[in-house]
Amino acid sequence: MTAIKDSFFSDIKSVNSLNDLSGLKVKYLGKKGVLTSEMKSLSSLPADERPSYGKKINDLKTLIEAEIDRLESGLKNSEMKQQLLSESLDITLPGKYTPFGAEHPINRTLTEIVDIFVKMGFSIEEGPEVELDYYNFEALNFPKNHPARDMQDTFFVGDNTVLRTHTSPVQVRGMEKRRPPVRFIAPGKVYRCDADMTHTPLFHQVEGLMVDRHVTFSNLKGILVTFLHQMFGPETPVRFRPSFFPFTEPSAEVDIGCIFCKGAGCRVCKGSGWLEILGAGMVNPRVFEYVEYDTEEFAGFAFGMGVERIAMLKYSIDDIRLFFENDIRFLRQF
Ligand code: FA5
């Protein structure tokens, strides 16, 4: 018995972790442990020696159990201390810098445009970016093989599908869904095979459409002048120039007085004193025929503007590509 006790006390000297301790527990107290096999050997002793030997084994077992418990709580304490130490924060270290961004100038401009029209009673309409030829061209009075299709450099997806080149197809989809009165705007992404300082393959447009009885060109002018004055300031000069779009008749290009030179003529406005800002016109009756609106009863106007264009003018940015480079130094300025 003394030998077992001695070997136990020599074994515990090399216990350094809870893992070591559990090995020791198995060795002495486990099912096949030293003390258990001592207990089993009791049956081979003469009957009168068994009680005293049994008591010795039990006393040693109690001692070993108590010693293991003591070691266990000691080890648990020191392991916890070590863990706490390793997880402690060094508040003298410099903090990690997480750069934070800002709302993208295009989103910001888009929200501003949408808010102005929503306040004037326009609702918001959406359409798909992968669009059928029918909505992007045909129902907007761009006949097949008509040279007007060359006005927009198209990305084709399939025989009959394109990446929409403008938001005007949403006019047709929106009108198919309801009868007049109609008054909505359609903001969204559009795509053209085009890239230079003022053109990118992906850009944003906001379309506008209003159809009702007695809608006139004066209404179009009133709405657009109100919008442009809210966007660029109440003193901004606005002019309408005759233009051509297959889906509006008459059509106009709308300019604002150059906000850089105040009309005197500069590099940005190419000396003219005016900046082109959007396309507009009265809805061509041919488009109404596609959506089965009575052309005698109803009239409407539509307009479409490039959001990047407006953001460039508003924030004096001369290269459109800056919007898409994700340079945090540029984006943080807004
Ligand atoms: C149109 O897209 C017509 N759908 C607008 C319209 C709607 C007219 C309703 C009448 C009635 P346009 O191709 O001119 O028109 O484009 C409109 C605006 O989009 C341009 O004034 C310009 O600001 C912008 N834009 C055109 N191409 C690009 C491009 N590649 N990158 C950035 N902006 C562009």
Side-chain angles (χ1 to χ4, degrees):
M1 202 58 56
T2 326
I4 297 178
K5 190 174 166 182
D6 289 348
S7 108
F8 174 74
F9 279 101
S10 124
D11 278 354
I12 60 174
K13 284 185 197 138
S14 51
V15 168
N16 292 315
S17 66
L18 285 168
N19 204 22
D20 294 346
L21 189 67
S22 100
L24 196 71
K25 210 169 172 179
V26 172
K27 178 171 172 187
Y28 288 90
L29 305 173
K31 271 188 196 158
K32 292 179 184 161
V34 179
L35 286 183
T36 321
S37 56
E38 270 317 291
M39 276 296 192
K40 281 182 192 155
S41 70
L42 268 184
S43 54
S44 59
L45 287 180
D48 58 336
E49 285 178 23
R50 282 181 208 160
S52 70
Y53 198 73
K55 185 172 180 304
K56 277 185 186 164
I57 301 174
N58 271 332
D59 286 349
L60 182 56
K61 190 175 174 202
T62 313
L63 177 77
I64 288 180
E65 278 172 348
E67 196 59 18
I68 286 180
D69 283 350
R70 192 181 62 78
L71 282 169
E72 188 169 347
S73 67
L75 283 168
K76 272 190 180 153
N77 258 338
S78 70
E79 285 193 10
M80 191 190 295
K81 265 186 202 149
Q82 209 129 36
Q83 190 176 355
L84 285 175
L85 269 178
S86 72
E87 287 174 0
S88 71
L89 284 179
D90 181 350
I91 54 164
T92 62
L93 284 173
K96 279 189 191 139
Y97 174 66
T98 313
F100 49 88
E103 191 180 13
H104 195 282
I106 294 302
N107 272 340
R108 203 187 161 118
T109 310
L110 198 56
T111 309
E112 221 175 313
I113 298 170
V114 169
D115 281 353
I116 295 172
F117 284 108
V118 166
K119 280 188 194 137
M120 290 197 277
F122 286 75
S123 59
I124 296 170
E125 190 73 18
E126 285 186 335
E129 288 172 27
V130 177
E131 185 54 285
L132 292 170
D133 178 283
Y134 175 79
Y135 289 106
N136 198 78
F137 292 123
E138 186 113 18
L140 288 169
N141 192 35
F142 287 85
K144 278 208 160 55
N145 306 318
H146 191 281
R149 288 195 182 203
D150 297 339
M151 284 166 73
Q152 302 175 351
D153 297 300
T154 312
F155 287 115
F156 290 90
V157 176
D159 285 344
N160 272 317
T161 41
V162 298
L163 291 182
R164 67 176 178 192
T165 55
H166 50 177
T167 41
S168 301
V170 188
Q171 287 186 34
V172 183
R173 287 182 176 273
M175 284 192 281
E176 275 181 348
K177 275 195 235 161
R178 51 174 84 70
R179 301 276 97 198
V182 169
R183 183 160 47 169
F184 62 72
I185 52 167
K189 293 186 175 67
V190 301
Y191 304 84
R192 291 186 199 177
C193 188
D194 212 352
D196 59 33
M197 264 176 79
T198 52
H199 298 84
T200 43
L202 176 157
F203 61 102
H204 298 77
Q205 285 190 339
V206 176
E207 192 79 11
L209 177 71
M210 178 164 167
V211 184
D212 204 346
R213 292 184 182 90
H214 318 300
V215 172
T216 66
F217 203 96
S218 314
N219 298 134
L220 168 64
K221 203 169 171 188
I223 292 279
L224 288 180
V225 170
T226 305
F227 162 70
L228 291 168
H229 281 174
Q230 291 201 27
M231 200 70 198
F232 293 102
E235 308 299 328
T236 314
V238 178
R239 78 172 181 189
F240 285 66
R241 265 184 304 113
S243 184
F244 170 78
F245 297 102
F247 38 93
T248 46
E249 182 57 37
S251 301
E253 212 98 53
V254 181
D255 301 338
I256 55 170
C258 181
I259 47 179
F260 299 102
C261 63
K262 305 279 176 249
C266 68
R267 192 178 62 91
V268 183
C269 61
K270 298 193 179 88
S272 72
W274 294 94
L275 295 164
E276 184 193 315
I277 199 98
L278 52 85
M282 299 305 291
V283 178
N284 191 322
R286 284 174 187 266
V287 177
F288 282 154
E289 281 163 16
Y290 278 100
V291 294
E292 294 172 1
Y293 278 12
D294 185 343
T295 54
E296 294 297 316
E297 193 178 355
F298 297 111
F301 64 72
F303 55 85
M305 63 190 84
V307 179
E308 280 75 2
R309 185 97 230 254
I310 291 179
M312 285 169 84
L313 295 177
K314 210 170 155 79
Y315 299 114
S316 306
I317 296 159
D318 61 3
D319 190 336
I320 192 172
R321 292 166 292 199
L322 286 166
F323 290 130
F324 300 97
E325 277 173 359
N326 267 345
D327 186 332
I328 199 95
R329 291 166 304 178
F330 169 73
L331 296 175
R332 217 183 272 141
Q333 293 174 49
F334 299 93

